[in-house]
Amino acid sequence: MGEELIQREKAIISFLQKNSRFLEYFGLFILILLGSWLRTLNLNFLRDITTGKFIPMDPDAAVFLRYAKYILENGSLMATDIMRYYPLGYSKLNEFNFLSHFIVYLYKFLHYFNSSITLEYVDVIFPAITFGAALIFFYLLIRKLFDFRVALLASAFLAFMPPFLYRTISGVGDKEALGIIFFFAAFYFYVLAIKSEKKYGYLFGILSGLATALLGSVWGGVNFIFLIIGGSFI
């Protein structure tokens, strides 16, 4: 009996060693699946009872929805938002441009496959979508710095951490929900650039810079990139 248990133990260890990469990504997939599901549990509470349409749960998200509607109807963002800072209006809309267009293009992409999808639905659901992409880059970053076990554990903590959960839950379609993808991507490609051979280091450095530029076009949190990467070189 003891010999049989030893053989079974060896067989299990052998299976885990041979399929470690599959199990690793399967674990990440489960985390993304559970995290995304958790972030959509509030959808039934995000409907306007008078129209039946989805509505944001965050004031800033409501602004992005209004801008996305304007882009969808007119092709581009207005030069001056006359509904803000009356009577002069608000003209510094560059910080709202990228995310508003992202919502519109995501709507067009999803609407192509399902004509029942509305812009309002995409506006409230996209944080749950971008969460998955952000968690992938976070996982890859931590795995590159440590190993897959630490990466899975850290990803599990991040996926269900209350502050992060709130900023990526359905209905809170603010800058952080999209910017967090580029935030983790910038650090991931930066680490790759440091650890890779010189010829690949340039490529990863460019990708890190591109992710930083995209983050800067979405969210003021790009300053954290400058501080952390700059500080690491110093």
Side-chain angles (χ1 to χ4, degrees), residues 18 57 60 64 83 88 94 102 128 138 141 232:
K18 291 180 181 179
M57 60 179 288
D60 291 338
F64 284 108
M83 295 182 66
L88 298 177
N94 289 335
F102 171 81
F138 178 79
L141 170 64
S232 71

Side-chain angles (χ1 to χ4, degrees), residues 99-114:
L99 179 54
S100 300
H101 277 86
F102 171 81
I103 295 172
V104 172
Y105 286 121
L106 180 61
Y107 159 73
K108 290 182 177 180
F109 174 77
L110 297 177
H111 186 76
Y112 177 81
F113 297 99
N114 187 349

Side-chain angles (χ1 to χ4, degrees), residues 139-153:
Y139 172 82
L140 294 174
L141 170 64
I142 302 302
R143 190 185 69 170
K144 190 66 178 178
L145 293 172
F146 300 97
D147 59 34
F148 78 92
R149 291 165 295 186
V150 177
L152 280 176
L153 181 60

